[in-house]
Coordinates of all heavy atoms in Angstrom, one line a residue:
M435 N 0.8 -1.2 0.0 CA 0.0 0.0 0.0 C 0.9 1.3 0.0 O 0.3 2.3 -0.2 CB -0.9 0.0 1.2 CG -2.1 -1.0 1.1 SD -3.1 -0.7 -0.4 CE -2.5 -2.0 -1.5
Q436 N 2.1 1.1 0.3 CA 3.0 2.3 0.2 C 3.1 2.9 -1.2 O 3.2 4.1 -1.3 CB 4.4 1.9 0.8 CG 4.4 1.6 2.3 CD 5.7 1.2 2.8 OE1 6.7 1.0 2.0 NE2 5.8 1.1 4.1
V437 N 3.1 2.0 -2.2 CA 3.2 2.5 -3.5 C 1.9 3.2 -3.9 O 2.0 4.3 -4.5 CB 3.4 1.3 -4.5 CG1 3.3 1.7 -5.9 CG2 4.7 0.6 -4.2
A438 N 0.8 2.8 -3.5 CA -0.5 3.5 -3.7 C -0.5 4.8 -3.0 O -1.0 5.8 -3.6 CB -1.7 2.6 -3.2
W439 N 0.0 4.8 -1.8 CA 0.1 6.1 -1.0 C 1.0 7.1 -1.8 O 0.6 8.3 -1.9 CB 0.6 5.9 0.4 CG 0.6 7.1 1.2 CD1 1.7 7.8 1.6 CD2 -0.5 7.8 1.7 NE1 1.3 8.9 2.3 CE2 0.0 8.9 2.4 CE3 -1.9 7.6 1.7 CZ2 -0.8 9.8 3.1 CZ3 -2.7 8.5 2.4 CH2 -2.2 9.6 3.0
A440 N 2.1 6.6 -2.2 CA 3.0 7.5 -3.0 C 2.4 8.0 -4.3 O 2.5 9.2 -4.7 CB 4.3 6.8 -3.3
A441 N 1.7 7.1 -5.0 CA 1.0 7.5 -6.2 C -0.1 8.5 -6.0 O -0.3 9.4 -6.9 CB 0.4 6.2 -6.9
T442 N -0.8 8.5 -4.9 CA -1.8 9.4 -4.7 C -1.3 10.8 -4.3 O -2.0 11.8 -4.3 CB -2.8 9.0 -3.6 OG1 -2.1 8.8 -2.3 CG2 -3.5 7.7 -4.0
R443 N 0.0 10.9 -3.9 CA 0.6 12.1 -3.5 C 1.3 12.8 -4.7 O 1.8 13.9 -4.6 CB 1.6 11.9 -2.4 CG 1.1 11.4 -1.2 CD 0.2 12.4 -0.5 NE -0.8 11.8 0.3 CZ -2.1 12.2 0.3 NH1 -2.6 13.1 -0.5 NH2 -2.9 11.6 1.1
T444 N 1.3 12.2 -5.9 CA 1.9 12.8 -7.1 C 0.9 13.6 -7.8 O -0.2 13.1 -8.2 CB 2.5 11.7 -8.0 OG1 3.3 10.8 -7.2 CG2 3.2 12.2 -9.1
K445 N 1.2 14.9 -8.0 CA 0.2 15.8 -8.6 C 0.2 15.6 -10.2 O 1.2 15.3 -10.8 CB 0.6 17.2 -8.3 CG 0.4 17.5 -6.9 CD 0.7 19.0 -6.6 CE 0.6 19.3 -5.1 NZ 1.0 20.6 -4.8
G446 N -1.0 15.7 -10.7 CA -1.1 15.7 -12.2 C -1.1 14.3 -12.8 O -0.8 14.2 -14.0
T447 N -1.5 13.3 -12.0 CA -1.5 11.9 -12.6 C -2.9 11.3 -12.6 O -3.7 11.8 -11.8 CB -0.5 11.0 -11.8 OG1 -1.0 10.9 -10.5 CG2 0.9 11.5 -11.8
Y448 N -3.1 10.3 -13.3 CA -4.4 9.6 -13.4 C -4.7 9.0 -12.0 O -5.8 9.1 -11.6 CB -4.3 8.5 -14.5 CG -5.5 7.5 -14.4 CD1 -6.7 7.9 -14.8 CD2 -5.3 6.3 -13.9 CE1 -7.8 7.0 -14.7 CE2 -6.3 5.4 -13.8 CZ -7.6 5.7 -14.2 OH -8.6 4.9 -14.1
L449 N -3.7 8.4 -11.4 CA -3.9 7.7 -10.1 C -4.3 8.7 -9.0 O -5.2 8.4 -8.2 CB -2.7 6.9 -9.7 CG -2.4 5.7 -10.6 CD1 -1.1 5.1 -10.2 CD2 -3.5 4.7 -10.5
R450 N -3.8 9.9 -9.1 CA -4.2 10.9 -8.1 C -5.6 11.4 -8.4 O -6.4 11.5 -7.4 CB -3.2 12.1 -8.2 CG -3.7 13.3 -7.4 CD -3.6 13.1 -5.9 NE -4.1 14.2 -5.1 CZ -3.4 15.0 -4.4 NH1 -2.1 14.8 -4.3 NH2 -3.9 16.0 -3.7
A451 N -6.0 11.5 -9.6 CA -7.3 11.9 -10.0 C -8.3 10.8 -9.6 O -9.4 11.1 -9.1 CB -7.4 12.2 -11.5
K452 N -8.0 9.6 -9.8 CA -8.8 8.5 -9.4 C -9.0 8.4 -7.9 O -10.1 8.3 -7.4 CB -8.2 7.1 -9.9 CG -9.1 5.9 -9.7 CD -10.3 6.0 -10.6 CE -11.1 4.8 -10.5 NZ -12.4 4.9 -11.2
Y453 N -7.9 8.7 -7.1 CA -8.0 8.7 -5.7 C -8.9 9.8 -5.2 O -9.8 9.6 -4.4 CB -6.6 8.9 -5.1 CG -6.6 9.1 -3.6 CD1 -6.7 8.0 -2.7 CD2 -6.4 10.4 -3.0 CE1 -6.7 8.2 -1.4 CE2 -6.4 10.5 -1.7 CZ -6.5 9.4 -0.8 OH -6.5 9.6 0.5
D454 N -8.8 11.0 -5.8 CA -9.6 12.2 -5.4 C -11.1 11.9 -5.7 O -11.9 12.3 -4.9 CB -9.1 13.4 -6.1 CG -7.8 13.9 -5.6 OD1 -7.4 13.5 -4.5 OD2 -7.1 14.7 -6.4
S455 N -11.4 11.2 -6.8 CA -12.7 11.0 -7.2 C -13.4 9.9 -6.2 O -14.6 10.0 -6.0 CB -12.9 10.5 -8.6 OG -12.4 9.2 -8.8
L456 N -12.6 9.0 -5.7 CA -13.1 8.0 -4.8 C -13.2 8.4 -3.4 O -14.0 7.8 -2.6 CB -12.2 6.7 -4.9 CG -12.2 6.0 -6.2 CD1 -11.2 4.9 -6.3 CD2 -13.6 5.3 -6.4
V457 N -12.4 9.3 -2.9 CA -12.3 9.7 -1.5 C -13.7 10.1 -1.0 O -14.1 9.8 0.1 CB -11.3 10.7 -1.2 CG1 -11.4 11.4 0.1 CG2 -9.9 10.1 -1.3
G458 N -14.4 10.9 -1.8 CA -15.7 11.4 -1.4 C -16.7 10.4 -1.2 O -17.6 10.5 -0.3
R459 N -16.7 9.3 -2.0 CA -17.7 8.3 -2.0 C -17.3 7.1 -1.1 O -18.2 6.5 -0.4 CB -17.9 7.7 -3.4 CG -18.6 8.7 -4.3 CD -18.7 8.2 -5.7 NE -17.4 8.2 -6.3 CZ -17.0 7.4 -7.3 NH1 -17.9 6.4 -7.7 NH2 -15.9 7.5 -7.9
R460 N -16.0 6.8 -1.0 CA -15.6 5.6 -0.3 C -14.8 5.8 1.0 O -14.8 5.0 1.8 CB -14.7 4.8 -1.2 CG -15.3 4.3 -2.5 CD -16.2 3.1 -2.2 NE -16.7 2.5 -3.4 CZ -17.5 1.4 -3.4 NH1 -17.8 0.9 -2.3 NH2 -17.9 1.0 -4.5
G461 N -14.2 7.0 1.1 CA -13.3 7.2 2.2 C -11.9 7.0 1.8 O -11.6 6.4 0.8
K462 N -11.0 7.5 2.7 CA -9.6 7.5 2.4 C -9.0 6.1 2.3 O -8.2 5.8 1.3 CB -8.8 8.3 3.4 CG -9.1 9.8 3.3 CD -8.3 10.6 4.3 CE -8.6 12.1 4.2 NZ -7.8 12.8 5.2
K463 N -9.3 5.3 3.2 CA -8.7 3.9 3.2 C -9.2 3.1 2.0 O -8.3 2.4 1.4 CB -9.0 3.2 4.5 CG -8.3 3.8 5.7 CD -8.5 3.1 7.0 CE -7.8 3.7 8.1 NZ -8.1 3.0 9.4
R464 N -10.4 3.1 1.8 CA -10.9 2.3 0.6 C -10.5 2.8 -0.7 O -10.2 2.1 -1.6 CB -12.5 2.2 0.7 CG -13.0 1.3 1.8 CD -14.5 1.3 1.7 NE -15.0 0.5 2.8 CZ -15.7 -0.6 2.7 NH1 -16.1 -1.0 1.5 NH2 -16.1 -1.2 3.8
A465 N -10.4 4.2 -0.8 CA -9.8 4.8 -2.0 C -8.4 4.4 -2.2 O -8.0 4.1 -3.3 CB -10.0 6.3 -2.0
L466 N -7.6 4.3 -1.2 CA -6.2 3.9 -1.2 C -6.1 2.5 -1.7 O -5.2 2.1 -2.5 CB -5.6 4.1 0.1 CG -4.1 4.0 0.2 CD1 -3.4 5.1 -0.7 CD2 -3.6 4.2 1.6
I467 N -6.9 1.6 -1.2 CA -6.9 0.2 -1.6 C -7.3 0.1 -3.1 O -6.7 -0.7 -3.8 CB -7.9 -0.6 -0.7 CG1 -7.5 -0.7 0.7 CG2 -8.1 -2.1 -1.2 CD1 -6.1 -1.3 1.0
A468 N -8.3 0.9 -3.5 CA -8.7 0.8 -4.9 C -7.6 1.3 -5.8 O -7.4 0.7 -6.9 CB -9.9 1.7 -5.1
V469 N -6.8 2.3 -5.4 CA -5.7 2.8 -6.2 C -4.6 1.7 -6.3 O -4.0 1.4 -7.3 CB -5.2 4.1 -5.7 CG1 -3.8 4.5 -6.3 CG2 -6.2 5.2 -5.9
G470 N -4.4 1.0 -5.1 CA -3.4 -0.1 -5.1 C -3.9 -1.2 -6.1 O -3.0 -1.8 -6.8
H471 N -5.2 -1.5 -6.1 CA -5.7 -2.5 -7.0 C -5.5 -2.1 -8.5 O -5.1 -2.9 -9.3 CB -7.2 -2.7 -6.8 CG -7.8 -3.8 -7.6 ND1 -8.5 -3.6 -8.7 CD2 -7.7 -5.2 -7.5 CE1 -8.9 -4.7 -9.2 NE2 -8.4 -5.7 -8.5
K472 N -5.7 -0.8 -8.8 CA -5.4 -0.3 -10.1 C -4.0 -0.4 -10.5 O -3.7 -0.8 -11.7 CB -5.8 1.2 -10.2 CG -7.2 1.5 -10.3 CD -7.6 1.5 -11.8 CE -9.0 2.0 -12.0 NZ -9.5 1.6 -13.3
I473 N -3.1 -0.2 -9.6 CA -1.6 -0.3 -9.9 C -1.3 -1.8 -10.1 O -0.6 -2.1 -11.1 CB -0.8 0.2 -8.7 CG1 -1.0 1.7 -8.6 CG2 0.7 -0.2 -8.8 CD1 -0.4 2.4 -7.4
L474 N -1.8 -2.7 -9.3 CA -1.6 -4.1 -9.6 C -2.1 -4.6 -10.9 O -1.5 -5.4 -11.6 CB -2.2 -5.0 -8.4 CG -1.4 -4.9 -7.1 CD1 -2.2 -5.7 -6.0 CD2 0.0 -5.5 -7.3
C475 N -3.3 -4.2 -11.3 CA -3.9 -4.5 -12.6 C -3.0 -4.0 -13.7 O -2.8 -4.7 -14.7 CB -5.3 -4.0 -12.7 SG -6.5 -4.9 -11.6
S476 N -2.5 -2.7 -13.5 CA -1.7 -2.1 -14.6 C -0.4 -2.9 -14.7 O 0.1 -3.2 -15.8 CB -1.4 -0.7 -14.2 OG -2.5 0.1 -14.2
I477 N 0.2 -3.3 -13.6 CA 1.5 -4.1 -13.6 C 1.2 -5.4 -14.3 O 2.1 -5.8 -15.1 CB 2.0 -4.3 -12.2 CG1 2.5 -2.9 -11.6 CG2 3.1 -5.3 -12.2 CD1 2.9 -3.0 -10.2
Y478 N 0.1 -6.1 -14.0 CA -0.2 -7.4 -14.6 C -0.2 -7.2 -16.1 O 0.4 -8.0 -16.9 CB -1.5 -7.9 -14.1 CG -2.0 -9.1 -14.8 CD1 -1.4 -10.4 -14.6 CD2 -3.0 -9.0 -15.8 CE1 -1.9 -11.5 -15.3 CE2 -3.4 -10.1 -16.5 CZ -2.9 -11.3 -16.2 OH -3.3 -12.4 -16.9
H479 N -1.0 -6.2 -16.6 CA -1.2 -6.1 -18.1 C 0.1 -5.6 -18.8 O 0.4 -6.0 -19.9 CB -2.3 -5.1 -18.4 CG -3.6 -5.7 -18.1 ND1 -4.2 -6.7 -18.9 CD2 -4.5 -5.5 -17.1 CE1 -5.4 -7.0 -18.4 NE2 -5.6 -6.3 -17.3
I480 N 0.9 -4.8 -18.1 CA 2.2 -4.4 -18.6 C 3.1 -5.6 -18.8 O 3.8 -5.7 -19.8 CB 2.9 -3.3 -17.7 CG1 2.1 -2.0 -17.8 CG2 4.3 -3.1 -18.0 CD1 2.5 -1.0 -16.8
L481 N 3.2 -6.4 -17.8 CA 4.1 -7.6 -17.9 C 3.5 -8.6 -18.9 O 4.3 -9.3 -19.6 CB 4.2 -8.2 -16.5 CG 5.0 -7.4 -15.5 CD1 5.0 -8.1 -14.1 CD2 6.4 -7.1 -16.0
K482 N 2.2 -8.8 -18.9 CA 1.6 -9.8 -19.8 C 1.7 -9.4 -21.2 O 2.1 -10.3 -22.1 CB 0.1 -9.9 -19.4 CG -0.6 -10.9 -20.3 CD -2.1 -10.9 -20.0 CE -2.9 -11.8 -21.0 NZ -4.3 -11.6 -20.9
N483 N 1.5 -8.2 -21.6 CA 1.5 -7.7 -22.9 C 2.9 -7.1 -23.4 O 3.0 -6.8 -24.5 CB 0.4 -6.7 -23.2 CG -0.9 -7.2 -22.9 OD1 -1.2 -8.4 -23.1 ND2 -1.8 -6.4 -22.4
K484 N 3.8 -7.0 -22.4 CA 5.2 -6.5 -22.7 C 5.1 -5.1 -23.4 O 5.7 -4.9 -24.4 CB 6.0 -7.5 -23.5 CG 6.2 -8.8 -22.8 CD 6.9 -9.8 -23.7 CE 7.0 -11.1 -22.9 NZ 7.6 -12.1 -23.8
E485 N 4.4 -4.2 -22.8 CA 4.2 -2.9 -23.3 C 4.6 -1.9 -22.2 O 4.5 -2.2 -21.0 CB 2.8 -2.6 -23.8 CG 1.7 -2.9 -22.8 CD 0.3 -2.8 -23.5 OE1 0.2 -3.2 -24.6 OE2 -0.6 -2.4 -22.8
A486 N 4.9 -0.7 -22.7 CA 5.3 0.4 -21.7 C 4.0 1.0 -21.0 O 2.9 0.9 -21.6 CB 6.0 1.5 -22.5
Y487 N 4.3 1.5 -19.9 CA 3.2 2.2 -19.1 C 2.9 3.5 -19.8 O 3.7 4.3 -20.2 CB 3.6 2.5 -17.7 CG 2.6 3.3 -16.9 CD1 1.4 2.7 -16.5 CD2 2.9 4.6 -16.5 CE1 0.5 3.4 -15.8 CE2 2.0 5.3 -15.8 CZ 0.8 4.7 -15.4 OH -0.1 5.5 -14.7
K488 N 1.6 3.8 -20.0 CA 1.1 5.0 -20.6 C 0.3 5.8 -19.5 O -0.7 5.4 -19.1 CB 0.3 4.7 -21.8 CG -0.3 6.0 -22.5 CD -1.2 5.6 -23.6 CE -1.8 6.9 -24.2 NZ -2.9 6.6 -25.1
E489 N 0.9 7.0 -19.2 CA 0.2 7.8 -18.2 C -1.0 8.5 -18.9 O -0.8 9.2 -19.9 CB 1.2 8.9 -17.6 CG 0.5 9.9 -16.7 CD -0.2 9.3 -15.5 OE1 0.4 8.4 -14.9 OE2 -1.3 9.8 -15.2
L490 N -2.2 8.4 -18.3 CA -3.4 8.9 -18.9 C -3.5 10.4 -18.6 O -4.2 11.1 -19.3 CB -4.6 8.2 -18.5 CG -4.6 6.7 -18.8 CD1 -5.8 6.0 -18.2 CD2 -4.6 6.5 -20.3
G491 N -3.0 10.9 -17.5 CA -3.1 12.3 -17.1 C -4.2 12.5 -16.2 O -5.1 11.7 -16.1
S492 N -4.1 13.7 -15.5 CA -5.1 14.0 -14.5 C -6.5 14.4 -15.1 O -7.5 14.3 -14.4 CB -4.6 15.1 -13.6 OG -4.4 16.3 -14.4
T493 N -6.5 14.7 -16.3 CA -7.8 15.1 -17.0 C -8.6 14.0 -17.6 O -9.7 14.2 -18.2 CB -7.6 16.3 -18.0 OG1 -6.7 15.7 -19.0 CG2 -7.0 17.5 -17.4
F494 N -8.0 12.8 -17.6 CA -8.6 11.7 -18.3 C -10.0 11.4 -17.8 O -11.0 11.2 -18.6 CB -7.7 10.4 -18.1 CG -8.3 9.2 -18.7 CD1 -8.3 9.0 -20.1 CD2 -8.9 8.2 -17.9 CE1 -8.9 7.9 -20.7 CE2 -9.5 7.1 -18.5 CZ -9.5 6.9 -19.9
L495 N -10.2 11.4 -16.5 CA -11.5 11.1 -15.9 C -12.5 12.1 -16.2 O -13.7 11.8 -16.5 CB -11.4 10.9 -14.4 CG -10.6 9.7 -13.9 CD1 -10.4 9.7 -12.4 CD2 -11.3 8.4 -14.3
E496 N -12.1 13.4 -16.2 CA -13.0 14.5 -16.6 C -13.5 14.4 -18.0 O -14.7 14.5 -18.3 CB -12.4 15.8 -16.3 CG -12.1 16.1 -14.8 CD -11.3 17.3 -14.6 OE1 -11.1 18.1 -15.6 OE2 -10.7 17.5 -13.5
E497 N -12.5 14.1 -18.9 CA -12.8 14.0 -20.3 C -13.7 12.8 -20.6 O -14.7 12.9 -21.4 CB -11.5 13.8 -21.1 CG -10.7 15.1 -21.1 CD -9.3 14.8 -21.7 OE1 -9.0 13.7 -22.1 OE2 -8.5 15.8 -21.7
K498 N -13.5 11.7 -19.9 CA -14.3 10.5 -20.0 C -15.8 10.8 -19.6 O -16.7 10.4 -20.2 CB -13.7 9.4 -19.2 CG -14.4 8.0 -19.4 CD -13.7 7.0 -18.6 CE -14.5 5.7 -18.7 NZ -13.8 4.6 -17.9
K499 N -15.9 11.5 -18.5 CA -17.2 11.9 -17.9 C -18.0 12.7 -18.9 O -19.2 12.5 -19.2 CB -17.1 12.6 -16.6 CG -18.4 12.9 -15.9 CD -18.1 13.5 -14.6 CE -19.4 13.8 -13.9 NZ -19.2 14.5 -12.6
I500 N -17.3 13.7 -19.5 CA -17.9 14.6 -20.5 C -18.4 13.8 -21.7 O -19.5 14.0 -22.3 CB -17.0 15.8 -20.9 CG1 -16.8 16.7 -19.7 CG2 -17.5 16.5 -22.1 CD1 -15.7 17.7 -19.9
K501 N -17.5 12.9 -22.2 CA -17.8 12.1 -23.4 C -19.0 11.2 -23.1 O -19.9 11.1 -24.0 CB -16.6 11.3 -23.7 CG -16.6 10.5 -25.0 CD -15.3 9.8 -25.2 CE -15.4 9.0 -26.5 NZ -14.1 8.2 -26.7
N502 N -19.1 10.6 -21.9 CA -20.2 9.8 -21.6 C -21.5 10.6 -21.5 O -22.6 10.1 -21.9 CB -20.0 9.0 -20.3 CG -19.0 7.9 -20.5 OD1 -18.7 7.5 -21.6 ND2 -18.4 7.5 -19.4
N503 N -21.5 11.8 -20.9 CA -22.6 12.7 -20.9 C -23.1 13.0 -22.2 O -24.3 13.1 -22.5 CB -22.3 13.9 -20.0 CG -22.2 13.6 -18.5 OD1 -22.7 12.5 -18.1 ND2 -21.6 14.5 -17.8
L504 N -22.2 13.3 -23.2 CA -22.6 13.6 -24.5 C -23.3 12.4 -25.2 O -24.3 12.6 -25.9 CB -21.4 14.0 -25.4 CG -20.8 15.4 -25.1 CD1 -19.6 15.6 -25.9 CD2 -21.8 16.5 -25.4
K505 N -22.8 11.2 -25.0 CA -23.4 10.0 -25.5 C -24.8 9.9 -25.0 O -25.8 9.6 -25.8 CB -22.6 8.8 -25.2 CG -21.5 8.4 -26.1 CD -21.0 7.1 -25.7 CE -19.8 6.7 -26.5 NZ -19.2 5.5 -26.1
I506 N -25.0 10.1 -23.7 CA -26.3 10.0 -23.1 C -27.3 11.0 -23.6 O -28.4 10.7 -24.0 CB -26.2 10.1 -21.6 CG1 -25.5 8.8 -21.0 CG2 -27.6 10.2 -20.9 CD1 -25.1 8.9 -19.5
S507 N -26.8 12.2 -23.8 CA -27.7 13.3 -24.3 C -28.1 13.1 -25.7 O -29.2 13.5 -26.2 CB -27.1 14.7 -24.1 OG -25.9 14.8 -24.8
I508 N -27.2 12.5 -26.5 CA -27.4 12.3 -27.9 C -28.5 11.2 -28.1 O -29.4 11.2 -28.9 CB -26.1 11.9 -28.7 CG1 -25.3 13.2 -28.8 CG2 -26.4 11.4 -30.1 CD1 -23.9 12.9 -29.4
N509 N -28.4 10.2 -27.2 CA -29.3 9.0 -27.3 C -30.7 9.4 -26.8 O -31.7 8.7 -27.2 CB -28.8 7.8 -26.5 CG -27.5 7.2 -27.2 OD1 -27.4 7.3 -28.4 ND2 -26.7 6.6 -26.4
N510 N -30.8 10.4 -26.0 CA -32.2 10.8 -25.5 C -32.9 11.7 -26.4 O -33.0 12.2 -27.2 CB -32.1 11.4 -24.1 CG -31.7 10.4 -23.1 OD1 -32.0 9.2 -23.2 ND2 -31.2 10.8 -22.0

C-alpha cells in the first residue's frame, strides 16, 4: 500500500485523480486500496503484454465523464 500512497501524492497523474474521485464516496482507506488495485492490474497487463506504461493524465477522468454525458444526451 506504500506504492499506492506515494502514487496518490503525485500531482497531475491519473492515479491521483482516481483517488480524489473515490475519496468522497468511499473514504480515504478504501480509495487507497482501490488505487493499489489499479496499480496491480496495470502491472499485470504491462508484464503480460510486454508494453510500456502510458500515463493517462489527471484530466482523463473528466474527459471521459464529459464524453459519456454527450453520448447519453445524444441518445435521448
Side-chain angles (χ1 to χ4, degrees):
M435 287 301 102
Q436 291 178 351
V437 174
W439 182 253
T442 60
R443 298 291 155 228
T444 307
K445 294 180 181 178
T447 62
Y448 167 74
L449 293 172
R450 172 66 186 251
K452 187 67 174 172
Y453 174 79
D454 289 340
S455 72
L456 290 171
V457 166
R459 292 178 284 154
R460 298 282 188 179
K462 290 181 181 180
K463 289 183 181 179
R464 287 182 184 237
L466 194 62
I467 297 298
V469 169
H471 184 260
K472 281 275 189 196
I473 292 171
L474 284 175
C475 289
S476 297
I477 291 170
Y478 170 78
H479 288 287
I480 287 168
L481 294 175
K482 180 183 172 192
N483 300 330
K484 297 178 183 174
E485 56 189 30
Y487 175 72
K488 179 183 174 191
E489 174 59 42
L490 299 174
S492 61
T493 60
F494 176 77
L495 292 174
E496 294 171 15
E497 292 169 1
K498 185 176 176 184
K499 185 177 180 181
I500 291 169
K501 188 177 178 181
N502 287 341
N503 287 342
L504 287 174
K505 272 187 186 177
I506 291 170
S507 64
I508 290 172
N509 289 334
N510 288 335

